[in-house]
Amino acid sequence: FWYSLTKVICVLFITIFSIFDVLVFCPILLLYWIVPFFLTIKCETRHMIMYKYIPFSIDKQQYGGESPQSNEERSFRE
């Protein structure tokens, strides 16, 4: 905790001075967001497939047994 807090304070202190201003090129900044996002999604998808969880199923899986019904449907059938 203290180490992380010290790093954050140092970074905040550095950003006060204009000498540390860095120009940001928008497409590169966008790539810095997109690449880690897709790498993370790829890793998570592999993990789900490895444990036999289908990450992109369209329908909810149906299990055996009675399907849930409202009270009106039950009384109508009886």
Side-chain angles (χ1 to χ4, degrees):
F1 171 78
W2 291 109
Y3 181 68
S4 298
L5 185 65
T6 305
K7 287 194 307 188
V8 167
I9 290 173
C10 288
V11 168
L12 288 175
F13 184 71
I14 288 174
T15 58
I16 293 173
F17 302 109
S18 63
I19 193 169
F20 294 109
D21 284 346
V22 177
L23 296 174
V24 176
F25 188 55
C26 191
I28 292 176
L29 184 64
L30 189 63
L31 281 176
Y32 280 165
W33 184 84
I34 289 174
V35 169
F37 174 78
F38 281 108
L39 288 175
T40 303
I41 293 298
K42 181 180 174 183
C43 180
E44 292 296 321
T45 305
R46 282 185 183 167
H47 182 267
M48 288 188 283
I49 290 171
M50 183 173 66
Y51 288 102
K52 295 180 174 54
Y53 175 77
I54 302 171
F56 303 112
S57 63
I58 296 173
D59 295 331
K60 184 176 179 181
Q61 184 175 0
Q62 297 288 325
Y63 295 101
E66 190 176 322
S67 62
Q69 300 173 357
S70 67
N71 288 334
E72 295 173 4
E73 290 177 2
R74 287 183 189 159
S75 63
F76 180 72
R77 289 185 181 191
E78 292 175 357

